[in-house]
Amino acid sequence: MTELTSACHRGARTAGDGQRRLAAIARAASSVADAASLSVTLDVVAREVVQATHIAAVQILRVEGGTMRVVGKAGFTDADDFTERLEECRRLGARLMFVEAFQAQKRIVVPHRKAAVLADPAWGPLHAIMGAPDWDTFAAVPLVVRGRAVGVLNAFYSPGEDPAGEMLEFLEAMADQAAMAVDSADLLARSRQEARLEERARLARELHDSVVQQVFSMRMQAKALRAHAGDGKVRDIADELLDLAQQALADLRGLVLQLHPLELAGRGLGEAVRTLAESVQASSGVKIRFWSGEQPELPADQAEDVFRIVQEGLHNVVKHAQATTAVVSVSRAGGELVVEICDDGIGLTGPPAGGLGVVSMRERAQRWRGTMEIGNTAAGCRVRVRMPCPR
């Protein structure tokens, strides 16, 4: 009779756990559909996993540009520098099981993982964070959308729990909900970006077809007036009008180029950068030479980021370097795109990492798994960006 009673209790617990898991999946699906913020949505998914199962903590990590960052969590204390600590662990040689799950696109379950992590000095930077929850076994499930891994869900099971069967199926179902949330956020961001690009292209075309043409006509009229004017006040006014028209034309062309650089340069990165260099030279007086080697075919978003890197680099040359000349080069070397901006200015007088423009340039490079180096040379300063070219 006692054994029968115990079996009934276990059956009731299993049924109750199953109902909680089904309810958690339903609530997670609802949050994916309704929430506007990806981090809010994935925090909800993580909390549902913790509340519906015998799991002490959950992390949901997203992969962007070759780097991982936490975008949802439950059961862990806040750690704003978790990604930096994780990178330090990787440099120390820590084995990142969730990276293996992400790369193989298969779930991984590791019993008694906590003891191994806390005993490994390579995990030292994260010992305090990983040691806080009461967990033992670790499971990692990749977030896969249309055959592509976009992140990973890490589950830290309470001591005594042996994840198998329905528990792991539930974890995979929640990972699917998280993957849908990431995919939806990506699609929304892409549609917004496309809308912005279309609006910028429209403004660029209107400026080019109306205002630029009118200013160009003013410049031609000023040239004609100067040619027919003799020496004296009228010629001085004509000269001033010509200078103003030339400056306004250079500024407008630069503005049009900033609004939509690739379309106006024949849809090629090299020509867009060449036009930018000519525009900056005309408006600043700094002599800018441009050199272009083999040009790879880049996605529009990547070409846009490369253009903005060069644009910010030349802005820094004009504003800070006190340079008289600069050289910009864009070429392909092996499987990499290499971009360099060199000047003959005063060079760096302090650490380069703190400026907002430099941070933006580095982030644009990292978005495409690239790197950016900046430092002084014998002649001035050099910025070098490398990023993989698409296959």
Side-chain angles (χ1 to χ4, degrees), residues 24-45:
I25 293 173
R27 288 192 297 269
S30 175
S31 70
V32 168
D34 294 340
S37 168
L38 180 63
S39 60
V40 171
T41 302
L42 296 184
D43 278 343
V44 170
V45 173

Side-chain angles (χ1 to χ4, degrees), residues 156-238:
F156 303 81
Y157 282 84
S158 302
E161 295 296 328
D162 182 20
E166 291 183 356
M167 295 179 70
L168 288 177
E169 290 176 1
F170 164 73
L171 205 61
E172 290 182 338
M174 297 300 280
D176 287 342
Q177 297 298 328
M180 288 173 56
V182 172
D183 190 45
S184 297
D186 286 345
L187 290 174
L188 180 60
R190 193 173 302 122
S191 65
R192 288 174 174 171
Q193 174 67 6
E194 288 174 355
R196 286 195 294 267
L197 290 176
E198 288 176 3
E199 179 63 13
R200 285 163 53 184
R202 184 187 66 81
L203 291 172
R205 286 193 297 270
E206 290 185 0
L207 280 173
H208 182 267
D209 294 342
S210 60
V211 181
V212 170
Q213 298 303 322
Q214 292 174 16
V215 174
F216 181 79
S217 297
M218 290 172 57
R219 190 185 69 166
M220 298 305 295
Q221 293 293 335
K223 280 187 174 181
L225 177 61
R226 186 180 65 174
H228 289 85
D231 295 335
K233 191 174 182 65
V234 174
R235 184 178 181 86
D236 292 341
I237 293 175

Side-chain angles (χ1 to χ4, degrees), residues 56-324:
V58 167
Q59 287 176 330
I60 301 175
L61 296 96
R62 183 181 183 184
V63 177
E64 289 181 291
T67 62
M68 283 190 170
R69 63 185 180 92
V70 177
V71 289
K73 64 181 182 300
F76 280 104
T77 56
D78 290 335
D80 295 336
D81 59 345
F82 180 89
T83 302
E84 290 76 12
R85 290 171 182 254
L86 181 64
E87 179 62 20
E88 180 63 22
C89 292
R90 186 194 64 78
R91 285 196 294 266
L92 292 173
R95 184 178 180 183
L96 309 181
M97 303 300 298
F98 62 87
V99 173
E100 297 178 19
F102 171 83
Q103 292 174 339
Q105 295 190 24
K106 293 182 179 180
R107 73 187 184 201
I108 291 179
V109 179
V110 187
H112 314 303
R113 180 62 173 161
K114 182 177 183 179
V117 168
L118 297 183
D120 187 350
W123 281 98
L126 280 172
H127 276 171
I129 297 172
M130 303 297 288
D134 186 18
W135 65 283
D136 181 40
T137 295
F138 170 77
V141 180
L143 313 183
V144 180
V145 178
R146 294 186 291 276
R148 178 177 64 95
V150 296
V152 64
L153 186 152
N154 295 334
F156 303 81
Y157 282 84
S158 302
E161 295 296 328
D162 182 20
E166 291 183 356
M167 295 179 70
L168 288 177
E169 290 176 1
F170 164 73
L171 205 61
E172 290 182 338
M174 297 300 280
D176 287 342
Q177 297 298 328
M180 288 173 56
V182 172
D183 190 45
S184 297
D186 286 345
L187 290 174
L188 180 60
R190 193 173 302 122
S191 65
R192 288 174 174 171
Q193 174 67 6
E194 288 174 355
R196 286 195 294 267
L197 290 176
E198 288 176 3
E199 179 63 13
R200 285 163 53 184
R202 184 187 66 81
L203 291 172
R205 286 193 297 270
E206 290 185 0
L207 280 173
H208 182 267
D209 294 342
S210 60
V211 181
V212 170
Q213 298 303 322
Q214 292 174 16
V215 174
F216 181 79
S217 297
M218 290 172 57
R219 190 185 69 166
M220 298 305 295
Q221 293 293 335
K223 280 187 174 181
L225 177 61
R226 186 180 65 174
H228 289 85
D231 295 335
K233 191 174 182 65
V234 174
R235 184 178 181 86
D236 292 341
I237 293 175
D239 288 339
E240 185 175 354
L241 284 174
L242 182 59
D243 291 340
L244 289 173
Q246 288 175 335
Q247 182 63 49
L249 191 60
D251 290 344
L252 280 170
R253 284 175 171 167
L255 179 59
V256 169
L257 191 63
Q258 291 175 30
L259 283 170
H260 203 61
L262 301 183
E263 178 178 282
L264 293 171
R267 300 182 183 274
L269 176 62
E271 287 304 311
V273 173
R274 182 187 303 278
T275 305
L276 172 66
E278 293 172 353
S279 174
V280 173
Q281 177 174 283
S283 61
S284 68
V286 178
K287 184 178 180 181
I288 300 175
R289 291 180 296 165
F290 173 71
W291 179 82
S292 176
E294 180 187 355
Q295 294 291 301
E297 292 292 332
L298 299 179
D301 289 349
Q302 186 176 6
E304 177 88 7
D305 278 336
V306 174
F307 178 87
R308 299 301 177 191
I309 288 171
V310 176
Q311 187 179 53
E312 181 62 34
L314 289 178
H315 171 77
N316 290 337
V317 169
V318 172
K319 187 174 181 181
H320 303 295
Q322 301 179 28
T324 58

